[in-house]
Amino acid sequence: MIERRPDGHPSRKAPVAEAGLSPLSHVKLGVAALRGLLHFLGEADVDEFETTAGGKRDTRLAKIVETLQKQAWELAVLGNEMASEHRDA
């Protein structure tokens, strides 16, 4: 059971998903969460003042986002494979 606030939203200490979700649901939720994180991080302005150090931070962030994009893609492929197995079973 998820601990909820009076407004119905999950509390900060509670898990995001209900207990007993299927492994495929965990993967799908993970992909959605990663994509949301990618969108959020991609909009970060780490070189606000256009400095050399800021440029380096921007490059590092771009590499991080690229790596996370690859991982999100791999996770989506894994989910597709799992869904295919469920259909074939």
Side-chain angles (χ1 to χ4, degrees), residues 49-69:
F49 302 108
E50 298 183 10
T51 62
T52 302
K56 289 179 182 178
R57 283 191 305 270
D58 195 41
T59 301
R60 285 179 23 216
L61 180 61
K63 288 179 183 178
I64 291 168
V65 168
E66 181 181 347
T67 300
L68 287 173
Q69 285 173 331

Side-chain angles (χ1 to χ4, degrees), residues 70-81:
K70 289 177 183 176
Q71 294 303 310
W73 176 255
E74 290 296 323
L75 195 56
V77 168
L78 183 118
N80 289 339
E81 289 172 2

Side-chain angles (χ1 to χ4, degrees), residues 36-49:
L37 179 62
L38 285 166
H39 181 71
F40 179 75
L41 288 175
E43 292 183 356
D45 184 8
V46 295
D47 189 15
E48 184 178 2
F49 302 108

Side-chain angles (χ1 to χ4, degrees), residues 1-12 14-16 18:
M1 187 69 165
I2 290 183
E3 177 183 328
R4 296 194 178 272
R5 300 185 310 218
D7 62 4
H9 293 285
S11 71
R12 289 182 182 209
V16 175
E18 299 285 343

